[in-house]
Amino acid sequence: MGQMIEFPDAFPSVEGEEANDRLRGGVSDMISRAAFPCVVFFLASAMFEAHKQSPRAAALFATQQRLLLSHAAVAHFFNPIGEVEPGLSRRSLGLLATFLGLASRNTAYTFFDESMKYGVIQAIDSQVAGHRGRAKPSPDSLSLLALWYNLHFQALDLLDDGQRYVQFSTRWESLLPSIQPVVANALFFTPEVRTPGPLYRIFSWIDSGGWVMDRLIAGVDRQSFPQPERYLTDVSSIAYLARATGLSGAHTSRKISEAQAIGGLGWAGRPGHSPMWISRGFYEEYAAFQAQKLIILDGALANALSGGAAISQGARNCE
């Protein structure tokens, strides 16, 4: 799939600053837990491995922009967002992308067309014609989305021996229509999700860049973690990172150089012949982003299971 444009600097105003304050508090509490690094490493490894199962479809989650466009499309399919016309169509996705400040209308159209081409979405009744022909997520893409949720619920369960994975995985088809709109809304209007830290952004806005970060975090030497400032990984080759994630060697090298220039990573010795390290700041940006998602998903599941609890209450399960 083609390269997407970056997010605009401005996006729709956040409704409910108090809810966002509670979300930030829950994230801080989660990060402070002794078990949280294990959760981060689990998610990094699991997300990297998951993309191998269906790389074309998983590419929809491999950049920050595509992640949010995908969530917008599925959420709108289940429950129309704002005043945008109901149903998933080329036109409705274009309207959603601009309404939410996710992408230009043409970028959204391209995203829709590629999703149709690769079977991520499929026509309802007959072929999608023009802007208004309706589509729906394919069974395979919904299964992939369910896997994304399952991995995050497994991660949450590592914190407190909870039962979220079992609760969701045994009835995901009935829970997904109620959970997805809540999750999407929270992702759209959480500033820390929309605009993560500078090191995270270097990779999150390029094709497969999320997998590069996943692989680097997954490769951190657990025996020596944490060190004061730098964490060694088992990665020593940019060429390997490129092959493992589907990026070109030149593109991977350019992004590694950008991160290196601001102190995000480097080599323990000779470049290409020694282990790479990532900075504490790189790890913390990645970990904070994962915590934001986990708090949001935890709240959405609690909301669905209780029949209407506030999303912010989900953070209580991690206290």
Side-chain angles (χ1 to χ4, degrees), residues 228-240:
E229 298 298 332
R230 297 177 177 179
Y231 308 147
L232 281 178
T233 76
D234 62 358
V235 177
S236 60
S237 168
I238 291 178
Y240 160 76

Side-chain angles (χ1 to χ4, degrees), residues 293-305:
K293 285 191 300 176
L294 289 171
I295 291 290
I296 289 169
L297 268 64
D298 193 22
L301 181 61
N303 180 71
L305 293 175

